[in-house]
Amino acid sequence: MVAGANIATIILMILVGYSDRLNPADHPILSCVGMTFPFFLLANIFFLFFWLVFKIRMVWIPLLGYLLAYVPISIYLPLNLRTSKVPEDAIKVVSYNVCAYGGNFKYEQGFEKVRDWLFEEDPDIVCLQEDVDTWRRYCFIHYKKKYAYNDTVLFNEEFMNGMGIHTRFPIIRRERIPYRSLYNGSVAWYLNINGDTVLVINNHFEATHINKKARHTYQEILKGDIKGAAARSESQKLLVTLAESAAKRAPQVQAVRRYIEEHSQYPIILCGDFNDNPISFSRHEMAEVLNDCFKSTGRGLGLSYKQKGFYFRIDHIFCSDDIKPYNCYVNHKMDASDHYPMICWLKIGGKD
């Protein structure tokens, strides 16, 4: 019976691990099951310890399960060795959702906290999400002290969301990647990096649209304060909300993928807040045309969002094959937003 339960867990782990192939526009509910992947990883660890204690000759079952699920595991939990030596000519890139410089309700001077951290980190390219327009003149006065080239694109004045880039490299031009959304968007900046034209795409894809009440209910379910039929009913409501958001997100991601394929003659760096977990259609679509820098060079879960029971890596940095990434990681000490920044070093022209 235990062996059968272990095998069933492995089958579900594999199915969930490869659910990122499902387009949410066609399978909205099923496309969200990737969020449950870590539960199956933990369940299989339980079976591993069970067999080690009670019947060690059966330990091959959970081990085989991890082997069969190697691909999704390497996405969700990469265990790359940290490369200490980064080439001198590699550029440092930061992707960070700054939460409109709100300070994550911890800091009264939210912008100053972000600014000081960026100046200390000293990246060459900073891609910011929620770099809102109302702050543009004030922020630019400060950013210009460090970066010669700054630009922000506002998506919607009512919802106050914008995409910004702050860099040492000259901005040749920019393009908004067209797709339907009220307050999300993707912007492509063409930069002159040491004589090469490099395409930098910054994204903020459709949010989950889970309000404060729903988040509180979700926390109560996790704590066990809501049980039985009420827990099932609230969980179904939450799942429907997530599925609807994923269905809206899918065509946005596909629009960016088409743009990448149409401009593949350029070296490409892609950053942004995907609002989706690692086992998702959003990440998989980008990984089909670009390299996931965290998967290739990062270690561990890389949780870039840890708020109210939701713990996921939803922020990403990707690059094209003619760029080599180094030491991609999430900085958990920088807490001036509801997100944590992702940092990576990239060598232009350094094929993997």
Side-chain angles (χ1 to χ4, degrees):
M1 289 178 63
V2 176
N6 194 174
I7 292 170
T9 298
I10 291 170
I11 292 172
L12 288 172
M13 180 172 65
I14 293 170
L15 291 175
V16 168
Y18 287 95
S19 65
D20 56 1
R21 275 70 172 171
L22 298 175
N23 189 328
D26 301 322
H27 309 281
I29 299 294
L30 289 176
S31 68
C32 295
V33 299
M35 297 176 65
T36 65
F37 187 68
F39 295 107
F40 293 101
L41 288 178
L42 291 172
N44 203 40
I45 288 178
F46 168 80
F47 283 111
L48 177 63
F49 282 109
F50 177 86
W51 295 127
L52 285 172
V53 173
F54 294 104
K55 191 174 288 189
I56 194 167
R57 66 184 179 87
M58 301 294 285
V59 78
W60 66 269
I61 299 177
L63 293 178
L64 178 62
Y66 283 130
L67 182 64
L68 293 174
Y70 171 77
V71 171
I73 291 173
S74 67
I75 294 170
Y76 206 94
L77 186 67
L79 297 173
N80 301 290
L81 296 175
R82 182 63 57 86
T83 303
S84 58
K85 187 173 179 58
V86 176
E88 291 184 3
D89 56 347
I91 62 174
K92 188 176 182 180
V93 177
V94 166
S95 179
Y96 191 16
N97 183 324
V98 295
C99 194
Y101 301 112
N104 196 23
F105 308 107
K106 292 183 178 181
Y107 305 99
E108 291 184 7
Q109 303 297 323
F111 168 73
E112 285 76 11
K113 180 72 175 177
V114 173
R115 175 203 62 195
D116 293 346
W117 178 80
L118 286 172
F119 284 12
E120 183 180 347
E121 283 290 321
D122 195 28
D124 299 291
I125 299 174
V126 181
C127 290
L128 300 181
Q129 301 86 45
E130 298 189 29
D131 190 14
V132 294
D133 190 62
T134 51
W135 290 84
R136 177 183 291 181
R137 294 177 184 174
Y138 173 65
C139 292
F140 277 18
I141 292 171
H142 292 268
Y143 283 139
K144 283 179 179 178
K145 296 176 183 177
K146 189 78 171 179
Y147 300 104
Y149 306 95
N150 303 272
D151 190 33
T152 300
V153 177
L154 184 67
F155 296 144
N156 188 305
E157 293 187 7
E158 179 183 354
F159 294 102
M160 297 314 304
N161 191 11
M163 206 70 65
I165 189 170
H166 308 281
T167 177
R168 293 191 174 92
F169 304 113
I171 299 173
I172 301 170
R173 63 188 176 93
R174 77 169 185 219
E175 287 183 351
R176 175 99 180 256
I177 300 176
Y179 56 73
R180 294 184 63 183
S181 181
L182 284 175
Y183 51 87
N184 302 282
S186 299
V187 180
W189 281 277
Y190 292 78
L191 305 186
N192 182 343
I193 300 180
N194 302 323
D196 292 325
T197 299
V198 177
L199 178 56
V200 179
I201 303 174
N202 196 4
N203 306 273
H204 190 287
F205 293 126
E206 195 74 26
T208 56
H209 300 296
I210 300 174
N211 57 34
K212 290 182 179 180
K213 181 181 178 181
R215 289 176 186 271
H216 179 70
T217 301
Y218 171 66
Q219 285 182 295
E220 289 185 322
I221 293 173
L222 291 180
K223 293 176 183 177
D225 295 337
I226 299 179
K227 301 177 181 179
R232 287 193 296 273
S233 176
E234 293 298 332
S235 297
Q236 288 172 358
K237 291 178 184 178
L238 181 65
L239 184 58
V240 168
T241 301
L242 291 171
E244 290 174 347
S245 300
K248 292 178 181 178
R249 195 180 302 121
Q252 299 171 4
V253 174
Q254 289 175 316
V256 175
R257 174 176 176 169
R258 286 193 298 269
Y259 189 91
I260 292 168
E261 292 172 332
E262 291 166 0
H263 298 81
S264 59
Q265 69 271 30
Y266 298 104
I268 297 174
I269 301 169
L270 183 140
C271 301
D273 176 6
F274 281 35
N275 276 307
D276 223 336
N277 75 94
I279 307 297
S280 65
F281 179 79
S282 304
R283 196 219 68 92
H284 177 73
E285 276 290 286
M286 288 304 152
E288 287 284 283
V289 291
L290 298 173
N291 294 323
D292 183 338
C293 296
F294 191 87
K295 177 183 178 294
S296 300
T297 69
R299 290 188 300 176
L301 294 171
L303 303 176
S304 64
Y305 187 88
K306 296 192 291 184
Q307 295 285 324
K308 299 174 181 176
F310 289 85
Y311 305 100
F312 296 106
R313 184 172 75 249
I314 66 175
D315 300 88
H316 300 276
I317 297 177
F318 287 78
C319 66
S320 52
D321 289 335
D322 46 6
I323 300 175
K324 184 173 177 58
Y326 294 87
N327 297 351
C328 189
Y329 75 101
V330 175
N331 186 320
H332 290 119
K333 295 181 180 179
M334 182 53 190
D335 59 351
S337 171
D338 55 349
H339 291 244
Y340 295 100
M342 180 170 282
I343 303 166
C344 191
W345 285 262
L346 302 172
K347 178 175 170 53
I348 310 295
K351 281 193 175 183
D352 213 351

